[in-house]
Amino acid sequence: MSSLPIENSKQLLNRVGKILEKGSQIEIRNLVHSLYPAETAHILEALEPEQRAKIWLVIPPSVMGEILVEVNVDVGSSLLKITDRKDLIAACENMGSDSMVDLLHVLPEPLLSQVIETIGAQNRSRFEKTLRYAEHTAGGLMSQDVLTVRSDVTLDVVARYLRKRGKIPTGTESLIVVDRTEQFQGILPLSQFLASDPHSKVADVMDSRGIAVIYSMPSRDVVRLFEQRNLLSMPVVADDGKVIGRITIDDIVDVIREEADHSLMGMAGLTEEHDMFSPVMTSAKRRAVWLGINLLTAFLAAWVIDLFEDTIQQIVALAVLMPIVASMGGIAGSQTLTLVIRGLALQQVSAGNTWSLLIKEVSVGLVNGLIWSVVVASIAGFWFHNMHLGLLLGSAMMINLVCAALSGVTIPVVLDRLGIDPALAGGVLLTTVTDVVGFMAFLGLATLFLL
């Protein structure tokens, strides 16, 4: 595969660009053959559609499926449009069962039916059953390629069974122990298996504290278990306790990356499945809705300013200073919002500690409000030779920072309880609150005390 020293992603992408400029099919083919599927997927996502096609057309069917599993949905859809169906079916036949399940989740329906028809009756039944599990659950993550051993046999019997089997599933670091009815009993780490007396029974050396998850557990909870218990793999069981699959650490890494991408892109109203080089009109259409929502909130803030038009005309300095109040509130609120969204994602925010978190964040808002209102009041007072104006600016900032902290906690908590992703909608709502409260507080106080 890749030669040493290993290139980072940027260096690899630069090398690909130079090869594509030369237009040498041989160099492109040699490059593709030297890369892992995930590296090729990363390159494809970073290339323009025309360059992407040049790479894709020299990729052998034996690795096409593995690459399609790694790229995002938009890029995968564009690649499927230029893929010969015979090549795709051949790609599916060369894939492991775990990757095959991932691919079946992203194939469009007409093509999905064709692929399932060509993979054999035994595999077809297994994959159709797997597709019934929800995507973002333990069942959707798991592979059915599992290795189980009985608890009432000796380690010597297990060793003979493994030699007869010939190979074990990729990523296996422990054997799953079951009873006669396939009920989960525990795990047998390979390190323990190799170091124990061959005449010992599995039940005597296995780890009975090993855990299994039910197929319906949300993937976020599965990730948390892997993190908290430093797991490399975990069995998955049905409602009756029978082992039906396993989840390995590589599946968990994919989930972690997807969650991070989702949170980052959600802040801008986008999804992690967007193609960076999708057509202009497609991208514009997707972003138009979010821009429209932001425009409505901007008009709301503008309406608040318009209410104090007479005040602004008499004291022009207000127009200069009022963005400071809204900006400081927006930054303070974003800090609290980010903290709470992270806490919700990690399930560290609950009904029991929400009130304490709210009091703490409002207290932080008060402290920062006191500090920065003094600074801002002093600067504004000297700037415009009007200490009364400075005091009003400081007071408005204090009010807005406290409201920002209050909103930064309540908005994501309420959205989460309503089943709305706080990462997607929280930022817009918070900006609206801090803008409206900031302008209202500053201009309202100015109207009351300066006119």
Side-chain angles (χ1 to χ4, degrees):
M1 286 294 178
S2 300
S3 58
L4 293 175
I6 297 175
E7 298 171 296
N8 63 37
S9 297
K10 187 175 181 180
Q11 291 171 332
L12 182 59
L13 194 57
N14 288 336
R15 183 157 67 93
V16 171
K18 292 176 182 177
I19 292 174
L20 289 172
E21 284 179 8
K22 294 179 182 177
S24 169
Q25 288 289 318
I26 296 176
E27 286 192 59
I28 295 174
R29 186 174 286 105
N30 290 338
L31 169 70
V32 169
H33 282 281
S34 70
L35 300 175
Y36 284 91
E39 292 175 315
T40 306
H42 176 77
I43 290 170
L44 290 171
E45 288 182 344
L47 293 176
E48 297 178 33
E50 296 78 12
Q51 295 176 316
R52 193 180 290 160
K54 292 178 182 177
I55 296 283
W56 186 248
L57 293 177
V58 301
I59 291 176
S62 58
V63 294
M64 277 184 174
E66 300 286 349
I67 294 171
L68 286 171
V69 170
E70 297 289 342
V71 297
N72 67 47
V73 171
D74 275 5
V75 174
S77 298
S78 68
L79 294 176
L80 285 172
K81 292 177 182 178
I82 58 174
T83 305
D84 186 274
R85 295 201 172 190
K86 292 181 180 178
D87 288 341
L88 185 58
I89 291 172
C92 293
E93 292 173 348
N94 288 311
M95 294 178 69
S97 61
D98 195 9
S99 298
M100 180 67 168
V101 169
D102 293 335
L103 179 60
L104 294 180
H105 275 296
V106 300
L107 288 179
E109 179 52 41
L111 194 54
L112 175 62
S113 300
Q114 286 186 25
V115 170
I116 289 179
E117 286 298 321
T118 62
I119 59 178
Q122 183 178 357
N123 286 333
R124 188 183 313 136
S125 174
R126 184 170 58 162
F127 291 135
E128 286 176 344
K129 184 178 179 180
T130 301
L131 289 173
R132 290 199 293 268
Y133 297 115
E135 185 175 359
H136 298 293
T137 63
L141 285 176
M142 74 178 185
S143 165
Q144 295 185 38
D145 192 6
V146 295
L147 186 57
T148 60
V149 295
R150 291 255 298 276
S151 59
D152 57 352
V153 301
T154 65
L155 299 184
D156 186 47
V157 171
V158 173
R160 291 202 303 270
Y161 164 65
L162 294 179
R163 285 194 293 268
K164 183 178 180 181
R165 199 175 191 273
K167 64 177 183 177
I168 60 177
T170 303
T172 299
E173 44 76 42
S174 61
L175 308 177
I176 302 173
V177 183
V178 297
D179 61 14
R180 292 177 178 273
T181 59
E182 297 299 317
Q183 300 284 318
F184 175 72
Q185 298 291 299
I187 61 171
L188 176 60
L190 291 181
S191 57
Q192 184 70 26
F193 166 65
L194 294 171
S196 300
D197 183 352
H199 300 294
S200 301
K201 283 196 172 184
V202 171
D204 296 331
V205 298
M206 74 179 191
D207 182 2
S208 57
R209 296 175 303 171
I211 61 169
V213 293
I214 195 164
Y215 71 94
S216 57
M217 177 179 279
S219 56
R220 282 186 178 183
D221 295 338
V222 177
V223 169
R224 195 160 296 106
L225 281 174
F226 267 78
E227 177 188 6
Q228 293 171 346
R229 306 199 180 198
N230 295 320
L231 301 174
L232 295 177
S233 65
M234 182 190 294
V236 180
V237 297
D239 289 321
D240 58 3
K242 290 184 178 180
V243 176
I244 57 175
R246 68 175 183 133
I247 300 171
T248 53
I249 189 64
D250 58 314
D251 302 312
I252 298 302
V253 171
D254 291 339
V255 174
I256 292 172
R257 178 186 172 185
E258 288 169 6
E259 290 290 338
D261 286 348
H262 175 74
S263 297
L264 179 64
M265 300 292 280
M267 294 289 189
L270 303 174
T271 72
E272 65 275 21
E273 302 300 349
H274 282 182
D275 180 3
M276 189 164 59
F277 291 103
S278 58
V280 172
M281 292 308 297
T282 301
S283 296
K285 189 188 301 181
R286 285 171 172 168
R287 301 180 197 183
V289 175
W290 199 248
L291 290 171
I293 294 172
N294 276 274
L295 183 61
L296 291 175
T297 64
F299 271 119
L300 179 60
W303 174 73
V304 172
I305 295 172
D306 185 59
L307 294 176
F308 301 95
E309 180 183 2
D310 294 337
T311 304
I312 295 173
Q313 286 179 348
Q314 295 182 52
I315 309 174
V316 179
L318 297 176
V320 177
L321 295 173
M322 64 183 184
I324 297 174
V325 182
S327 175
M328 290 293 286
I331 293 297
S334 296
Q335 291 172 336
T336 302
L337 182 75
T338 302
L339 180 73
V340 176
I341 289 177
R342 177 182 178 275
L344 288 169
L346 296 176
Q347 295 188 349
Q348 294 174 338
V349 177
S350 64
N353 65 8
T354 301
W355 183 248
S356 299
L357 181 61
L358 182 64
I359 293 174
K360 178 255 180 180
E361 287 301 316
V362 170
S363 300
V364 172
L366 279 169
V367 172
N368 276 326
L370 283 169
I371 294 171
W372 292 107
S373 62
V374 171
V375 173
V376 167
S378 302
I379 294 174
F382 283 112
W383 187 359
F384 292 98
H385 308 289
N386 187 338
M387 290 309 297
H388 294 294
L389 179 63
L391 288 173
L392 291 179
L393 178 63
S395 301
M397 181 173 294
M398 169 82 77
I399 293 171
N400 204 22
L401 286 179
V402 172
C403 286
L406 190 65
S407 303
V409 175
T410 55
I411 287 174
V413 169
V414 171
L415 289 175
D416 184 64
R417 292 182 181 176
L418 293 175
I420 302 172
D421 187 355
L424 185 62
V428 174
L429 294 177
L430 177 69
T431 301
T432 303
V433 171
T434 53
D435 283 355
V436 169
V437 171
F439 295 142
M440 184 74 76
F442 185 43
L443 298 177
L445 289 173
T447 302
L448 287 173
F449 294 103
L450 293 183
L451 296 184

